[in-house]
Amino acid sequence: MHIEFLPINHPIQSVGMRSALIKAQQSVIDREFGTAADFFDRVLRDLRISGPVPTNLRGQDVRSFSDMQMNDLVEYWSAYLTGIGIERDVVHNLARAAAERSQLLRAFDDPTAMLEWTISKVAEIVADLPSEAKHIQVGRNPGDVLDPYILAATQNLLCGGDSQRAIEATVAHKALMVLEGLLGHLHEEVLGRMRGNVRAPEPRGELASMIDAVSNPFPGADVVTPPLAKGDPICFHQVKSKTGSMNSSGGHRLALQLVSLRQAYPGAELYAHSLVGTTLTGHRTMGVIHRVDPSIICTVGKSAFRILTGSDSGPELLLRVYQSAFKLGAERAAYDIETASARIVAAFETEAAEAGEGFLESILHRATDGSAAQQSSTTYVSARAARLAARASASVGDAPSTQSRRRR
């Protein structure tokens, strides 16, 4: 098989991801469901609801139902469930579940598999949120230590002098930074798995920016949309959370990568999307991108979602999978910020008591005390330099002396 709506000799026909692109074309909502009635029947079966399909849906286009907003879906399902005799106290929750399933099915050809993948990813990240004192004392970078002055400000200005609330706020701040990174990756993955799209593989290694049809066909793109109808172009999408999430040098590099994709795959349309926002005003990199190529389309908010999902309900489609995944992922990871904060406070208080000093003073000393030789550039030796020096010293010590070499 070949990718539809493109010439057989088009360069994209030879990429290693051709089968994924073909599957994306076949997953489009209009191709899987002939009418709104077919779609409605699938939701009934998924939720094991026994009832007839409304006759007025039989002649309707599938999108007339599948692209409805959440509130409209809940209202429609509530009326339907009431009409087939479902008990009144059950209707609200069941209508909500049916509306959620409708949006998940609109977004993905296999909602259950997509939810499970997302839940597992969320649980994996949640399990790495701060839960012990060491998790907020020093970050992965040894220079990223807990700032005692910010903690003092938080405690006294925001938390009424309560040290436990201040630590809880600090834990929440650290957790939010982790979640921000998680969402950036989730946006790319989840949107890349929606109907009609393909998640472009992350380029790796020294040749990450070089196009290779088999191992690295789409560097610079997060999501690829093959032509979904006759006359449609291939679309390459770069996806960011917000307009301020990339600096100017990153925007320049991105634009060059997108341009190289169009050179490799003629006729392609290029997009730089920011999902959250209401206007391009304040877009830090749009000017940089357009200086490289003004034909690259920058979008934000609902316009970005409309292009990425093919639906006016695009923002809700993404929220729907996240709401389910975050709730179930939290349950699976069993993380509770209050419990974690109480444990961290207890550890800090114990440390302070053992040192015979106050809570903040103890954190202050841990954040500023250290080897004098490692605190000034005049005497500082990096760990890498120390290792190299040790190896050099060892190799000199292992080398045979001149006298011993002569004996040989």
Side-chain angles (χ1 to χ4, degrees), residues 11-32:
I12 206 169
Q13 301 284 5
S14 62
V15 300
M17 297 180 64
R18 186 178 64 181
S19 59
L21 294 165
I22 293 170
K23 182 180 178 183
Q25 290 180 316
Q26 296 171 342
S27 73
V28 175
I29 192 77
D30 315 88
R31 298 185 72 162
E32 184 169 348

Side-chain angles (χ1 to χ4, degrees), residues 75-364:
E75 185 178 335
Y76 190 101
W77 278 103
S78 295
Y80 170 80
L81 294 168
T82 300
I84 64 172
I86 300 295
E87 295 180 12
R88 187 171 298 177
D89 59 341
V90 176
V91 165
H92 177 74
N93 288 340
L94 190 54
R96 182 81 190 180
E100 289 176 354
R101 189 65 181 185
S102 299
Q103 288 199 325
L104 287 171
L105 185 60
R106 169 61 182 88
F108 308 105
D109 58 351
D110 189 345
T112 302
M114 189 64 233
L115 267 178
E116 180 54 37
W117 180 90
T118 312
I119 291 166
S120 298
K121 189 66 178 177
V122 169
E124 176 188 325
I125 298 299
V126 170
D128 200 35
L129 294 179
S131 58
E132 305 288 344
K134 63 183 179 181
H135 296 155
I136 68 169
Q137 282 175 328
V138 184
R140 288 186 174 89
N141 181 341
D144 180 21
V145 297
L146 177 61
D147 189 324
Y149 303 107
I150 291 178
L151 183 61
T154 303
Q155 179 177 332
N156 293 287
L157 298 178
L158 304 180
C159 301
D162 189 322
S163 58
Q164 176 152 341
R165 284 176 57 201
I167 290 295
E168 187 169 326
T170 302
V171 172
H173 174 68
K174 295 280 188 182
L176 283 170
M177 292 172 66
V178 173
L179 294 181
E180 186 176 0
L182 164 67
L183 283 170
H185 292 298
L186 278 184
H187 291 336
E188 298 166 4
E189 290 288 346
V190 175
L191 288 166
R193 295 165 187 247
M194 283 191 177
R195 293 181 182 275
N197 293 336
V198 173
R199 170 70 168 109
E202 289 284 351
R204 303 194 182 279
E206 296 179 1
L207 302 178
S209 61
M210 302 293 291
I211 295 176
D212 182 282
V214 176
S215 63
N216 191 30
F218 310 123
D222 295 317
V223 178
V224 182
T225 306
L228 303 180
K230 188 174 181 180
D232 283 357
I234 313 156
C235 296
F236 295 109
H237 311 274
Q238 172 69 212
V239 179
K240 297 296 179 186
S241 297
K242 292 185 285 189
T243 57
S245 57
M246 183 185 292
N247 58 30
S248 58
S249 62
H252 183 78
R253 184 171 60 253
L254 161 65
L256 291 175
Q257 287 183 310
L258 289 176
V259 169
S260 71
L261 286 174
R262 186 165 53 205
Q263 292 169 347
Y265 307 108
E269 280 191 357
L270 311 175
Y271 292 92
H273 302 292
S274 300
L275 301 182
V276 179
T278 59
T279 175
L280 286 170
T281 300
H283 196 308
R284 294 180 184 174
T285 53
M286 181 169 60
V288 177
I289 290 171
H290 282 172
R291 278 195 290 275
V292 174
D293 188 337
S295 71
I296 297 174
I297 302 169
C298 296
T299 69
V300 67
K302 196 169 183 178
S303 293
F305 279 104
R306 189 179 295 112
I307 292 165
L308 285 162
T309 68
S311 170
D312 283 337
S313 298
E316 285 192 358
L317 298 182
L318 188 62
L319 180 62
R320 200 60 50 227
V321 67
Y322 284 171
Q323 274 190 314
S324 300
F326 293 159
K327 179 182 177 181
L328 297 172
E331 291 173 359
R332 188 175 296 183
Y335 182 80
D336 180 74
I337 192 170
E338 291 184 3
T339 302
S341 298
R343 186 185 305 117
I344 291 169
V345 169
F348 284 157
E349 289 177 340
T350 299
E351 187 175 279
E354 290 174 351
E357 53 191 6
F359 180 83
L360 282 171
E361 286 76 14
S362 175
I363 293 173
L364 173 70

